[in-house]
Amino acid sequence: MNLQGLDPHLLHAWLTARSLARGLPMPVPEHGGFRVDTGSDTETVRWVFPHLCDGLKDLARAIHQPRQFIKVCATTEALRAALPPHWTVHPASHVMRAHGAMPRRTLAHGYSVTTEQSGPVVAARILGETGELAASGYGAETDHVFVYDRIVTEPAHRRKGLGHVLMQTLHAARRNADSRELLVATDDGRALYETLGWCVVAAYASGSIVEG
């Protein structure tokens, strides 16, 4: 894992693919990082930095409203030290990339998988026997980067390898076999993806001002 952060060009490619997957505005260079106007009920805007820098610290001092997030390819401890005291640092995540061939797994009996391609974005869905949504996820490809996004298995369908099949389905949908495959994982997700041959390339920390 690189404790010095992530290459800015790789971070920009990843954020661009993520914005495509979610229908968000493209990332804009700002303060030494990139701003993405997310515009959701829980987050209006996020700034993502490839590493800690003075621009991040200056930005944090200028923000006084909730729902504005600062994210950086650094540890939670390093981000905590860089933020003003009234900021909250959220649980750690990890930037991961595919490393080697993904082991194959057969779809469990009674399930079916479908994909839908829209330009650089592919959506995959796994349905149960009665047609209920069991798992879903998205992939987006740009600048030789393929990003996996919102990989979710519904609680009633977990521990059946559906997430594994979902990942291999998205993997097969890549247009460029040489694209670097990236995702952001929680601690629990990291453990799963490591069994699929993924490795951590950078820590990923997040902070915001919590309402109330």
Side-chain angles (χ1 to χ4, degrees), residues 46-111:
R46 64 171 56 183
W47 288 267
V48 187
F49 292 83
H51 49 72
L52 291 169
C53 62
D54 290 338
L56 181 154
K57 297 175 184 178
D58 293 340
L59 174 64
R61 286 193 291 267
I63 293 175
H64 302 285
Q65 299 297 322
R67 298 192 295 137
Q68 301 182 43
F69 283 71
I70 287 178
K71 297 173 179 282
V72 62
C73 297
T75 64
T76 54
E77 295 81 7
L79 180 59
R80 174 68 277 167
L83 294 177
H86 62 286
W87 280 69
T88 295
V89 174
H90 305 293
S93 293
H94 314 275
V95 181
M96 304 186 72
R97 68 172 175 85
H99 183 69
M102 186 183 302
R104 300 292 299 174
R105 181 151 184 171
T106 302
L107 187 61
H109 178 73
Y111 290 93

Side-chain angles (χ1 to χ4, degrees), residues 164-177:
H164 190 154
V165 173
L166 196 67
M167 292 289 290
Q168 55 189 51
T169 300
L170 292 170
H171 170 85
R174 293 173 305 149
R175 296 176 173 178
N176 183 354

